[in-house]
Amino acid sequence: EPWRAYGFAAKMTYAGFALSGSYANNGKSGYFKGSTSQPVLSTDKEHSYTAGLQYECGPYTIGYNYAHMRTAGDTTKIGHDKADVYAGGATWKAAPGLSLYLEGVASRRKLKEHTHSNTNSMALLGSRVDW
C-alpha cells in the first residue's frame, strides 16, 4: 500500500475558553506483519485523534484532554492495538514567573487479540519558574 498519511488540527478561543482537537490518519501504514521469513504487508489502518478544553480566569487555568490511538502495534500478530488517554489539570500563577500545578492522567491500553491490556494512572504536583 503506498504511503497516504495526513493530519490536521484546530484551536478556537473565546472569553478565556480554548477548545482544540487534532486528527491523524496513517492509513495502511505499509508495516509488515508475519514472520521475517514470510513477511506480508499489514492491512490494519492507523489513526489517532485528540480533543481538549481549557478555561483561564485570572491566575487560574483548568483543562481536560482526551487522546485515542489505534496502531498496527506488533506487526507479527494479527489485529491492532488501541489506547485511550484521559488527562486533566489545574495551574495557579502564584506570582510573576512562578506557577504551581496539579495534573492527573489515566490511560487504558488494549493489545492485539486481547492478549494483554492494562490501565494506568498517575498524579503530578509541580511548579514552574520562568525568568
Side-chain angles (χ1 to χ4, degrees), residues 4-115:
R4 289 189 184 114
Y6 60 90
F8 60 88
K11 181 178 180 179
M12 298 180 298
T13 59
Y14 177 76
F17 287 94
L19 177 65
S20 60
S22 67
Y23 178 78
N25 187 324
N26 293 332
K28 296 176 183 176
S29 63
Y31 289 126
F32 286 97
K33 67 178 182 178
S35 67
T36 54
S37 62
Q38 294 181 328
V40 178
L41 276 175
S42 174
T43 58
D44 294 322
K45 295 180 180 178
E46 295 191 347
H47 67 262
S48 65
Y49 54 87
T50 66
L53 179 63
Q54 175 180 300
Y55 179 68
E56 184 174 354
C57 182
Y60 304 101
T61 304
I62 59 171
Y64 177 79
N65 190 56
Y66 169 74
H68 171 80
M69 291 136 306
R70 176 182 162 153
T71 67
D74 179 355
T75 56
T76 63
K77 296 179 182 176
I78 296 171
H80 53 268
D81 294 351
K82 290 183 182 179
D84 295 291
V85 180
Y86 309 86
T91 300
W92 173 46
K93 295 176 187 170
L98 175 64
S99 297
L100 305 173
Y101 59 89
L102 173 65
E103 291 183 33
V105 178
S107 67
R108 180 178 56 209
R109 184 173 181 202
K110 289 185 179 181
L111 302 181
K112 297 179 182 198
E113 299 177 351
H114 307 290
T115 57

